[in-house]
Structures are given as C-alpha cells and as structure tokens.
C-alpha cells in the first residue's frame, strides 16, 4: 500500500487507475483490509467516480465499526499509544482512538461531500 500512497499524492490520473488495481488485488487477498478500502475510496474520488467512492467509503466505515466491536481492548491500547505520542497531556484526558474515527478522518472529504449532496437534494425536493 506504500506504492499506492505515492500514487495518490501524485497528480497522474493514469497512475490512479494503476493504484486502484493494486487496491483491488490487496482486497482480493484480504477482504477485511480497511486501509485498502480507504485508499480505494480516495482513488475513486480522484477519478471522479463519486458514487463508487461513497459506497467504498461507507463499506470501509462498516468494516472499521465491526473491527472496533470485535477488538474493544485495542481501543484502550491505541488510546494509550496516542497519549504517549502526544506527550504530556496536561489534564490527562486521552481520547479513545478507534478504527471508525480513523476511517472518518481519512475519508472526511467523501463523507462531507455526500452529506452536502444529501442536504441539497432534500432542499430541492421540498
């Protein structure tokens, strides 16, 4: 997926399709690879395939939610790592980091645009 990250950051449209192919191969090997689904959603978005991007992003979020439910102990350990990395949190209010929040953060632009589109369509229907 490191190669995919480099391609996503570049501005080469023809490489985005190649990166999308890499993501599909990874997903074929590991159907629960949340990171591959996130990257795939971003690539669809960059290729102006908004519906596929939204569907893929929602599926990544669903996988993340399922992962969080199956691994509640990882929430605490990720939270502890996060607070250590942020170093000396003065009031020691560590936030719980989970896969779902990571996915939402990584795919913010897709979820935000989908939310805006939904608002526009509901305003136009009324």
């Amino acid at each position: 997926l490191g190669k995919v990250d480099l391609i996503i950051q570049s501005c080469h449209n023809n490489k985005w399709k190649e990166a999308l192919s890499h993501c599909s191969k990874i997903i074929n090997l590991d159907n629960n690879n949340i990171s591959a689904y996130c990257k795939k959603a971003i690539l669809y978005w960059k290729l102006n395939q908004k519906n596929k991007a939204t569907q893929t992003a929602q599926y990544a979020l669903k996988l993340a939610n399922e992962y969080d439910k199956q691994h509640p102990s990882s929430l605490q350990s990720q939270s502890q790592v996060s607070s250590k990395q942020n170093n000396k949190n003065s009031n020691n209010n560590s936030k719980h980091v989970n896969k779902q929040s990571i996915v939402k953060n990584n795919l913010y632009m897709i979820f935000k645009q989908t939310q805006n589109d939904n608002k526009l369509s509901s305003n136009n229907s009324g």
Side-chain angles (χ1 to χ4, degrees):
L1 285 174
K3 188 185 284 187
V4 174
D5 286 332
L6 292 174
I7 293 170
I8 288 173
Q9 292 171 5
S10 72
C11 296
H12 302 289
N13 194 2
N14 59 337
K15 294 284 187 178
W16 290 341
K17 290 178 183 177
E18 181 183 331
L20 194 59
S21 173
H22 285 292
C23 288
S24 293
K25 288 176 185 175
I26 291 165
I27 290 168
N28 283 336
L29 294 172
D30 178 8
N31 196 34
N32 293 320
N33 192 314
I34 298 167
S35 182
Y37 280 105
C38 288
K39 290 174 188 353
K40 191 173 184 177
I42 291 168
L43 288 162
Y44 277 138
W45 190 263
K46 287 182 176 277
L47 289 166
N48 206 27
Q49 297 181 26
K50 308 298 188 198
N51 286 337
K52 286 185 178 180
T54 301
Q55 290 171 354
T56 306
Q58 288 172 341
Y59 188 72
L61 190 60
K62 177 185 171 199
L63 284 178
N65 188 30
E66 289 171 4
Y67 179 90
D68 290 341
K69 287 179 182 177
Q70 293 173 0
H71 301 89
S73 62
S74 69
L75 297 177
Q76 183 62 27
S77 62
Q78 288 178 6
S79 174
Q80 290 169 351
V81 168
S82 177
S83 67
K84 285 179 185 175
Q85 288 173 345
N86 289 336
N87 208 359
K88 297 163 186 104
N89 192 355
S90 60
N91 56 4
N92 205 15
N93 288 334
S94 61
K95 294 181 180 177
H96 286 290
V97 177
N98 57 30
K99 294 276 186 192
Q100 192 173 11
S101 63
I102 292 169
V103 168
K104 283 181 180 179
N105 186 46
N106 288 340
L107 301 177
Y108 173 78
M109 65 183 171
I110 296 172
F111 290 120
K112 184 67 174 171
Q113 184 62 43
T114 303
Q115 185 180 30
N116 289 341
D117 290 349
N118 289 341
K119 284 181 184 176
L120 285 175
S121 65
S122 66
N123 288 341
N124 290 335
S125 64

